[in-house]
């Protein structure tokens, strides 16, 4: 389905009320309704352009199967939104209340020396600084089989930080399993799930339940790929998606890192050229600092034994997405093997709570997307299976009590796939 790129109007965010006191500086989403609009009658493009007549209504990129598009509609525009006559369903009555229900960012509690942090970490969301503390603490509890790495710096000079795990063969002796999370700043559940996988891998090593995984693969896990955006989504604008890059002569801030990778970046239709759009692809292929360091890093860790499996964790749509995004007709050479693995992951995911994921190529399953990491890692880094997974949820804002079930169902899926990759 044709995908139109519409601006997330800077005005719409600027006009939202700014709160006093503890939440000073944060955009206030109180009274905003989250609305799904069915795309069965009208195409995405016509819906986006119809809704763009409402100055303060926010268009939310992604998260559908091409079946609906999402908007955050402020109370004062709700009647006007209804009058547009779109086939709309309210899925969140009050985005402000939903954000409050995510709970506070709970501080990291340091464990006894050399012990793993408590699993209560997964009962809440956390600040970026605390995610770094968590990562360091896990590493300290697993000193002979792990190290913290940095990929390089973001636009705002934060280090993109991850953890490398290995098993009995020693460091960098096996093919790589590589996980990214939260390239899209607002998709906080992705970071929690990546850390859940990390925690399971490490905590199961001493009792033998995960030792074959670590003995067969080097794991590289980056829980927050877009720290600048993540911090901004926690401190200012909960629904922020992009990085925080400022470009000369352009007033809008931010580029969608997942439209900026140097793979079919020029192909029309899969990203926006409008700087204020949520899926703005940048002015040139890989012109974000994040893309530059991530491409170099990915190729570096692939150089020795190759990357067998990559997952870029996103939310929300319950999808296992395979290459390609840039085209619905291009077919990755090993598509049959990819689809069969993804089907078995989907089946396993459903076993714990019945969560039904959809598995298939990005373009035909959701929409065309150019410059995505999965396509680059497939074609250039030569990753055997380069996927994006859209986690559970009906909104980017997910209550903290969903973290553990989301972690469990994905960990079950991961455990089912890893033995098939050896
Ligand atoms: O549009 C996206 O980038 C992802 N959906 S989201 O709603 N989380 O924004 C899908 C990513 C698919 N992967 C690639 N295009 N590489
Ligand atoms: Zn995303």
């Amino acid at each position: 389905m044709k995908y139109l790129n519409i601006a997330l109007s800077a005005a719409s965010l600027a006009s939202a009320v700014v709160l006093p006191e503890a939440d000073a500086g944060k955009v206030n989403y109180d009274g905003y309704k989250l609305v799904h609009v069915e795309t069965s009658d009208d195409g995405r493009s016509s819906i986006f352009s119809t809704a763009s007549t409402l100055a303060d209504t926010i268009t939310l990129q992604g998260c559908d199967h091409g079946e609906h598009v999402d908007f955050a509609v402020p109370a004062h525009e709700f009647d006007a939104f209804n009058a547009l006559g779109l086939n709309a369903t309210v899925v969140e009555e009050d985005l402000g209340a939903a954000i409050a229900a995510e709970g506070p960012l709970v501080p990291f509690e340091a464990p006894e020396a050399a012990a793993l942090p408590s699993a209560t970490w997964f009962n809440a969301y956390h600040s970026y600084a605390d995610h770094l503390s968590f990562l360091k603490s896990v590493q300290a509890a697993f000193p002979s089989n792990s190290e913290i790495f940095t990929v390089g710096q973001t636009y705002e000079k934060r280090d993109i930080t991850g953890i490398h795990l290995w098993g009995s063969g020693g460091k960098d002796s096996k093919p790589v399993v590589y996980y990214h999370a939260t390239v899209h700043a607002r998709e906080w559940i992705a970071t929690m799930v990546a850390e859940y996988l990390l925690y399971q891998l490490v905590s199961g090593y001493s009792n033998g339940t995960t030792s074959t995984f670590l003995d067969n693969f080097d794991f590289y896990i980056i829980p927050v790929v877009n720290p600048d955006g993540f911090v901004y989504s926690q401190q200012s604008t909960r629904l922020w998606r992009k990085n925080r890059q400022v470009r000369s002569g352009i007033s809008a801030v931010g580029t969608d890192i997942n439209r900026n990778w140097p793979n079919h970046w020029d192909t029309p239709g899969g990203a926006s050229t409008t700087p204020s759009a949520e899926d703005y692809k940048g002015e040139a292929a890989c012109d974000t600092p994040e893309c530059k360091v991530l491409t170099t890093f990915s190729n570096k860790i692939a150089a020795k034994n190759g990357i067998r499996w990559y997952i870029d964790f996103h939310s929300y749509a319950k999808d296992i997405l395979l290459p390609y995004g840039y085209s619905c007709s291009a077919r990755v050479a090993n598509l049959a093997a990819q689809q069969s693995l993804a089907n078995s992951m989907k089946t396993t995911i459903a076993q714990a709570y019945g969560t039904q994921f959809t598995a298939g190529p990005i373009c035909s399953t959701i929409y065309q997307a150019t410059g995505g990491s999965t396509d680059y890692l497939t074609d250039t880094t030569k990753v055997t299976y380069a996927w994006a997974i859209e986690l559970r949820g009906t909104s980017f804002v997910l209550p903290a009590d969903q973290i553990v079930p989301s972690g469990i169902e994905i960990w079950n899926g991961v455990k089912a796939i890893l033995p098939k990759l050896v």
Side-chain angles (χ1 to χ4, degrees), residues 61 63 183-184 187 241 258 313-316 390 396:
Q61 166 67 38
C63 302
V183 65
H184 291 144
E187 297 166 12
R241 168 181 168 98
N258 207 34
F313 286 102
H314 291 255
S315 72
Y316 59 93
E390 299 275 357
F396 297 108

Side-chain angles (χ1 to χ4, degrees), residues 159-217:
D159 285 326
I160 300 175
T161 304
I163 185 164
H164 173 193
L165 313 174
W166 60 85
S168 55
K171 184 176 157 180
D172 284 324
S173 62
K174 300 292 175 187
V176 169
V177 171
Y178 187 31
Y179 296 150
H180 279 192
T182 310
V183 65
H184 291 144
R186 61 194 173 204
E187 297 166 12
W188 297 357
I189 184 66
T191 293
M192 296 307 302
V193 167
E195 289 175 351
Y196 190 88
L197 302 179
L198 163 66
Y199 195 85
Q200 297 307 318
L201 285 166
V202 171
S203 61
Y205 195 70
S206 54
N207 66 23
T209 53
T210 60
S211 48
T212 54
F213 300 152
L214 287 169
D215 292 345
N216 285 322
F217 300 104

